[in-house]
Amino acid sequence: MKILGLTIFAIITFCGISFLNDKSSFSNWEIRNTSQTISWAKFEWTNEELGGKHFEKTAMFIPCKIDGIANPVTFQFDLGSDLTGVYENTCKSFYKQTPELEQKIKRFKSVFQFWNNKKCFKNLSIQFGNYSASNKNAFVFEDYGDKVEIKNAKDTIHIGTIGADIF
């Protein structure tokens, strides 16, 4: 009886820990090439001032389009990030002009909801170059990014990170 109890305890503990750390739910990207040829996605270098000193080419931004958002957006290309996702604070900038966007950001539902209580962007579709990437539950970097004032639909807004999970 003790062995059965310990076995059940071990299974529940292992499952709980794996769900606690499991990011695979957010890594289910479907990638499509919208052309018959393989092509490079356009990118732009950004410059930053760090510690009062100017540095060139500190990050690569990829110009993208997100279904449901009129503005062009950029994602930082960051292979140091294991997840692709959008910045919650920046997404809030679009709520006034695109109220349905607020309904797309939800708490991720899982069997272990009390552990895996992360936010996700429902049915996110990103287009860049000749490629389209979509995910039913894309990761949301909670309380991250800048809330920006969107003056017109031509303003380019930096909204997220493209990580290693897409590549």
Side-chain angles (χ1 to χ4, degrees), residues 8-72:
I8 291 171
F9 176 76
I11 291 171
I12 290 172
T13 303
F14 175 75
C15 290
I17 290 171
S18 65
F19 274 97
L20 177 63
N21 296 317
D22 183 25
K23 294 182 180 179
S24 65
S25 303
F26 300 111
S27 298
N28 297 323
W29 287 94
E30 181 182 323
I31 312 295
R32 291 181 306 279
N33 185 350
T34 57
S35 171
Q36 294 295 326
T37 61
I38 296 176
S39 67
W40 293 92
K42 180 182 169 190
F43 70 90
E44 302 163 354
W45 285 108
T46 60
N47 304 323
E48 290 289 324
E49 192 166 306
L50 305 169
K53 187 175 178 186
H54 179 79
F55 291 91
E56 292 191 16
K57 299 182 179 179
T58 54
M60 293 172 65
F61 282 10
I62 301 174
C64 299
K65 174 77 177 107
I66 294 179
D67 286 348
I69 294 180
N71 291 71

Side-chain angles (χ1 to χ4, degrees), residues 60 76-84 161-167:
M60 293 172 65
Q76 179 180 350
F77 180 63
D78 184 0
L79 291 179
S81 175
D82 58 346
L83 290 174
T84 297
T161 297
I162 292 180
D165 58 339
I166 284 186
F167 294 94

Side-chain angles (χ1 to χ4, degrees), residues 32-131:
R32 291 181 306 279
N33 185 350
T34 57
S35 171
Q36 294 295 326
T37 61
I38 296 176
S39 67
W40 293 92
K42 180 182 169 190
F43 70 90
E44 302 163 354
W45 285 108
T46 60
N47 304 323
E48 290 289 324
E49 192 166 306
L50 305 169
K53 187 175 178 186
H54 179 79
F55 291 91
E56 292 191 16
K57 299 182 179 179
T58 54
M60 293 172 65
F61 282 10
I62 301 174
C64 299
K65 174 77 177 107
I66 294 179
D67 286 348
I69 294 180
N71 291 71
V73 297
T74 58
F75 282 76
Q76 179 180 350
F77 180 63
D78 184 0
L79 291 179
S81 175
D82 58 346
L83 290 174
T84 297
V86 295
Y87 304 148
E88 181 180 36
N89 295 342
T90 308
C91 283
K92 289 178 181 178
S93 304
F94 292 98
Y95 288 176
K96 187 175 181 180
Q97 74 182 39
T98 314
E100 60 273 10
L101 184 64
E102 189 171 3
Q103 301 306 312
K104 288 187 160 214
I105 296 179
K106 302 277 186 191
R107 289 275 170 206
F108 183 75
K109 302 284 189 221
S110 80
V111 175
F112 296 94
Q113 182 66 32
F114 49 93
W115 280 327
N116 192 4
N117 198 17
K118 302 288 184 191
K119 285 188 179 177
C120 68
F121 190 111
K122 292 291 195 182
N123 300 314
L124 177 62
S125 180
I126 306 168
Q127 294 82 41
F128 53 97
N130 290 337
Y131 297 92

